[in-house]
Amino acid sequence: GEVNELNDGLTNERPNKHACQFSSPAKGFDGPVFMANKVGEVWRLNRDLNSWELVLETGWFSRAANDRAQVAVVPTFDASSSNENDRTVFAAFAGVLFVSRDGGDEWVRHSQFFETAIEPYDPLITSIAFAHDFSSSGNFVLATSVLNANNVSGDEGTLWNSSDFGDTFQASFQSTSSIRSLASSPVGPSGKQWFFASVLMHPAFEYLNLSTGILRSSDGGATWSDYGSAQDFIRESDASNTVAAFRFLLHDFEVSPDFANDGRIYFGRTEGLYYSDDEGAHWNRRSFRQVTHIRSVDSTINSAGEIVAFAGSYGSGTLMHNLSSGKITLLAKGPNSYTADLKLSPNF
């Protein structure tokens, strides 16, 4: 489709175009679009004028403190509703959580997360997320992080959940690496709806016992588990050693529009793009290398008397070539996308 600039109302002063996050209601719900930037501001898109308007100005211009600026609007936003839970918006800057119950017109500091992060070891809010059914369940989660030089990633994280529409929060999970992204889903094929969370530290062989996969919660954020999915992200060497120094900025989930039927979620971080077809229980990597980058080959004769060759690729799984029929199949799922060597059983 056509792409157009949407800068009306924004200026280069401070500069307010340095967006960190956008948020809008779920598909099928008509509501405002919000943007949080690196200079401590929240802007709302006036759709009638197709122009941005400033709705929250914290006065905090430290870009370092606001790198994790957050904004989220209730997925089922309803401007005409008399229920304030249908018009709730949250924003977070420099460790402070702001709440609006009228679609962004008026804001207050949350009574529990109200202290501004000034020193390096002060906690920051690194991600926030509404449950898809927030208007009725009251479920909301947020993540905080603090520096911790004793951990591999140099920090640690805490997940907090609320079941009373964001009025109060309880710590529900402690991580040895900061939580960098949160997302929620509608009801999936299992009949459950989920929260998902990712941590900064990429799983690696060197510290497998400390590695965390994608965390899930089906009880509104009260309990969390990665169900062993860290192994789905393991590669032959730590991917984090080969990517940009600012990898922590790139963590994001995208839930399928047809999640109720396909249970699919995409997750991207600098180390790669991953997807799950079972509501986040297991993950597969989307390959970006050619499948012809082969490092190991072996062949055999199957039970039908056909000659079959297998080839292990670098990053794209295993190729199975039936030389008798000519059919080639890519066995792409599973943790063994990077194959250094491949041997077939004598009794194949």
Side-chain angles (χ1 to χ4, degrees), residues 115-139:
E115 294 187 4
T116 308
I118 299 174
E119 301 298 328
Y121 283 87
D122 290 338
L124 292 173
I125 296 174
T126 51
S127 193
I128 58 178
F130 284 92
H132 195 270
D133 63 348
F134 172 85
S135 295
S136 57
S137 71
N139 292 328

Side-chain angles (χ1 to χ4, degrees), residues 41-52:
E41 299 170 341
V42 173
W43 293 74
R44 180 177 59 195
L45 180 64
N46 185 320
R47 293 188 174 183
D48 292 332
L49 301 177
N50 217 27
S51 176
W52 293 97

Side-chain angles (χ1 to χ4, degrees), residues 266-329:
Y266 287 96
F267 170 61
R269 55 183 294 159
T270 308
E271 292 86 351
L273 175 63
Y274 302 83
Y275 69 95
S276 170
D277 284 331
D278 56 8
E279 302 178 54
H282 302 91
W283 295 83
N284 299 283
R285 186 172 184 176
R286 291 298 300 266
S287 302
F288 295 100
R289 292 179 179 271
Q290 294 180 349
V291 296
T292 52
H293 191 160
I294 301 300
R295 299 198 294 184
S296 182
V297 176
D298 201 359
S299 62
T300 188
I301 297 176
N302 65 17
S303 58
E306 301 169 322
I307 300 175
V308 182
F310 289 81
S313 74
Y314 183 83
S316 296
T318 301
L319 285 169
M320 180 176 67
H321 186 184
N322 187 315
L323 278 71
S324 300
S325 67
K327 182 180 179 181
I328 300 176
T329 304

Side-chain angles (χ1 to χ4, degrees), residues 31 49 70 78 101 103 261:
L49 301 177
Q70 301 288 313
D78 184 355
R101 301 292 187 181
N261 296 310

Side-chain angles (χ1 to χ4, degrees), residues 20-69:
C20 285
Q21 192 172 61
F22 292 88
S23 182
S24 61
K27 181 181 179 181
F29 293 88
D30 187 20
V33 177
F34 289 89
M35 180 265 285
N37 64 20
K38 289 188 176 183
V39 292
E41 299 170 341
V42 173
W43 293 74
R44 180 177 59 195
L45 180 64
N46 185 320
R47 293 188 174 183
D48 292 332
L49 301 177
N50 217 27
S51 176
W52 293 97
E53 54 190 19
L54 182 63
V55 293
L56 174 62
E57 187 174 14
T58 66
W60 304 329
F61 303 142
S62 169
R63 290 179 60 190
N66 294 327
D67 270 343
R68 300 304 306 171

Side-chain angles (χ1 to χ4, degrees), residues 1 37 42 68 70 84-85 102-103 105 118 130 159 192 215 222 229 237 262 272 286 316 342:
N37 64 20
V42 173
R68 300 304 306 171
Q70 301 288 313
E84 64 179 16
N85 300 321
D102 58 6
D105 291 334
I118 299 174
F130 284 92
L159 284 166
K192 299 178 181 179
L215 295 161
S229 64
S237 63
D262 61 24
R286 291 298 300 266
S316 296
L342 182 151

Side-chain angles (χ1 to χ4, degrees), residues 9 23 31 61-62 71 84 115 132 147 174 178 202 211 227 257 265 283 314 335-336 340 347:
S23 182
F61 303 142
S62 169
V71 65
E84 64 179 16
E115 294 187 4
H132 195 270
L147 296 180
Q174 190 77 27
S178 60
H202 190 275
S211 294
Y227 297 87
I265 317 148
W283 295 83
Y314 183 83
N336 297 320
N347 298 317

